[in-house]
Amino acid sequence: EVQLVQSGGGLVQAGRSLRLSCAVSGFTFGDYSIGWFRQAPGKEREQVSCINTGDGSTYYSDSLKVRFTVSSDNAKNTVFLQMNSLKPEDTAVYHCAAMIRCTYSRGEFHRVGLRSDWWGQGTQVTVSA
């Protein structure tokens, strides 16, 4: 059974940092990509980054690549999202999700094999002004 278990998140003041974790089990870690998504109240879900754990390639939405960093610890089957200089508009529920492959070009993510049942439980990030 594939499981993605998230940790981290919480309430922080603007300008501070947070790190989210996504611990993965149930498949060979290096064979898949992990994406990070967020959904703010009243808004559509958006993808913010992804990492291909096999080759370590990382991708970000253009608006977040300066402040967000995705990384992985393949020995621990865990992916991280480091979020710096947080802003109130970063407030959202953040999810990680596994897929076969993820890339980013021409302003959008290109995902292969994103499944509805390979998602983390979500974690709330709230940034106060």
Side-chain angles (χ1 to χ4, degrees), residues 60-113:
Y60 303 90
S61 65
D62 290 334
S63 63
L64 295 173
K65 60 185 178 182
V66 174
R67 299 187 294 118
F68 286 18
T69 302
V70 62
S71 62
S72 68
D73 183 339
N74 287 26
K76 296 182 178 180
N77 288 6
T78 301
V79 171
F80 305 98
L81 182 68
Q82 178 69 40
M83 306 182 292
N84 298 327
S85 302
L86 283 162
K87 303 176 180 181
E89 51 263 42
D90 294 317
T91 295
V93 176
Y94 286 71
H95 284 90
C96 60
M99 64 201 83
I100 293 174
R101 187 72 179 173
C102 175
T103 56
Y104 183 86
S105 63
R106 295 187 292 277
E108 62 182 30
F109 286 94
H110 306 278
R111 298 178 286 268
V112 177

Side-chain angles (χ1 to χ4, degrees), residues 25-84:
S25 62
F27 59 70
T28 301
F29 189 69
D31 288 349
Y32 291 87
S33 303
I34 304 296
W36 285 99
F37 299 77
R38 70 182 184 183
Q39 187 165 20
K43 295 187 177 181
E44 293 187 354
R45 185 181 67 199
E46 65 171 332
Q47 185 167 358
V48 301
S49 71
C50 64
I51 182 168
N52 294 305
T53 57
D55 62 15
S57 55
T58 58
Y59 300 89
Y60 303 90
S61 65
D62 290 334
S63 63
L64 295 173
K65 60 185 178 182
V66 174
R67 299 187 294 118
F68 286 18
T69 302
V70 62
S71 62
S72 68
D73 183 339
N74 287 26
K76 296 182 178 180
N77 288 6
T78 301
V79 171
F80 305 98
L81 182 68
Q82 178 69 40
M83 306 182 292
N84 298 327

Side-chain angles (χ1 to χ4, degrees), residues 115-126:
R115 293 172 49 145
S116 61
D117 55 345
W118 286 6
W119 287 75
Q121 79 275 21
T123 186
Q124 176 70 46
V125 172
T126 303

